[in-house]
Amino acid sequence: MTGEQADTQRETAPLRRDNSWIQPDRAPVDPGPGQTTRPVFAPPAQQAPRPVHSQTNPPVHSQTNPPAYQQPYQQAGPPQPTNPPVRPSANPATSRQPAPGPPPSGKRITPMGWLARGAGLFAISVVSGLVWLAVKPEPPEPEGPPPLAVKYDFKPIRREEGFRGCQNVSDYKVQQFFQNEECEHLTRALYDTTLPDGSRVLTSIVTVLMPDADSARRLDELLTRDNTGNIRDLVDDGSNDTKDLPDLVDKAYASGRQDRLVVIGDSAYYDKETPKNDLALLDVSEEALKLGWPQDQQKPG
């Protein structure tokens, strides 16, 4: 037929794959031990160019790997890191031992330095003690028990401080007692009272403050014995303004001890004779002993 050609095989050049222009992936940058944030893979191996076969029909090989991706052209220069380097972080200590303390100071205190410091502290304490002694308040005077209620109305007539001491106003064995143990404070006073029947009574109260309770007890025991003497009251001692008052001759005598205070009482009638151991007068003397502490603590007028 016209235009027909013989069925002959055309000679065509075999296809050739050129991988020389394929650039490998950028080499991974190793940031160092312990800083890797992504897995690192080995770069792909370059394939060698296949030889050109002159045969008409080149052998066909099965392709196992897809063709490598050809990256676009990049300007030559140093490779840029994909990720910035990560600064190592300090991990907390896992030891159970306490953290070491700060290093010792380079300055050491010599023995003379310690001695100087001790002397300074001692001087400060001495000065503080002297200042305290200078400004501290005086201790309050000891207070006795509160005044006791009495059933008679005792009106004070005269009171005198024992400025002469107990020994100079005592007699016999009582005076000898005060020679060894003098009292600390002495008061003598006179009171006037009226009985329910209208009889007027003069009562003497003497207070003797001893150094301690034991000496007060021994004095009280001595005063209660017969023929041992006594501490003279204001009438018996002849004080001023006592000449017109009745004599107190121990006919209604009473004494008692309140801690270290010894109280001595005696009573007599104004307008009639005082019998010995009169019950009414003895009761007055016993009640008057309750005036002991208030009389001892009364400030001299």
Side-chain angles (χ1 to χ4, degrees), residues 86-105:
V86 182
R87 172 178 264 175
S89 60
N91 296 327
T94 58
S95 175
R96 295 182 180 271
Q97 298 180 356
S105 176

Side-chain angles (χ1 to χ4, degrees), residues 167 173-183 210-211 215 218:
Q167 180 182 353
K173 294 183 179 180
V174 175
Q175 185 180 32
Q176 296 175 2
F177 177 87
F178 287 123
Q179 288 178 354
N180 299 324
E181 297 178 84
E182 183 59 274
C183 65
M210 297 301 296
S215 59
R218 290 185 282 106

Side-chain angles (χ1 to χ4, degrees), residues 55-138:
Q55 299 170 353
T56 304
N57 292 326
V60 179
H61 298 280
S62 61
Q63 187 173 354
T64 59
N65 295 326
Y69 173 75
Q70 184 175 0
Q71 295 183 356
Y73 174 75
Q74 295 181 355
Q75 187 177 359
Q80 300 294 329
T82 305
N83 295 322
V86 182
R87 172 178 264 175
S89 60
N91 296 327
T94 58
S95 175
R96 295 182 180 271
Q97 298 180 356
S105 176
K107 185 178 181 181
R108 295 184 58 187
I109 302 177
T110 62
M112 292 301 297
W114 285 114
L115 183 61
R117 291 189 179 189
L121 293 176
F122 178 75
I124 293 174
S125 62
V126 170
V127 173
S128 301
L130 294 177
V131 172
W132 166 249
L133 291 177
V135 302
K136 74 173 183 177
E138 296 183 359

Side-chain angles (χ1 to χ4, degrees), residues 231-280:
I231 299 175
R232 297 189 296 271
D233 56 69
L234 292 179
V235 177
D236 192 17
D237 206 27
S239 299
N240 297 332
D241 302 329
T242 60
K243 295 181 179 179
D244 297 334
L245 298 178
D247 292 333
L248 300 163
V249 288
D250 297 340
K251 292 185 178 180
Y253 175 87
S255 66
R257 181 176 65 88
Q258 302 170 7
D259 193 20
R260 62 191 188 107
L261 183 70
V262 178
V263 186
I264 304 169
D266 197 5
S267 300
Y269 288 116
Y270 270 92
D271 302 326
K272 58 182 179 180
E273 184 180 354
T274 301
K276 187 174 181 62
N277 296 330
D278 184 83
L279 295 180

Side-chain angles (χ1 to χ4, degrees), residues 17-33:
R17 179 177 296 171
D18 189 2
N19 295 330
S20 62
W21 292 95
I22 299 177
Q23 296 182 1
D25 291 341
R26 286 173 295 179
V29 179
D30 188 4

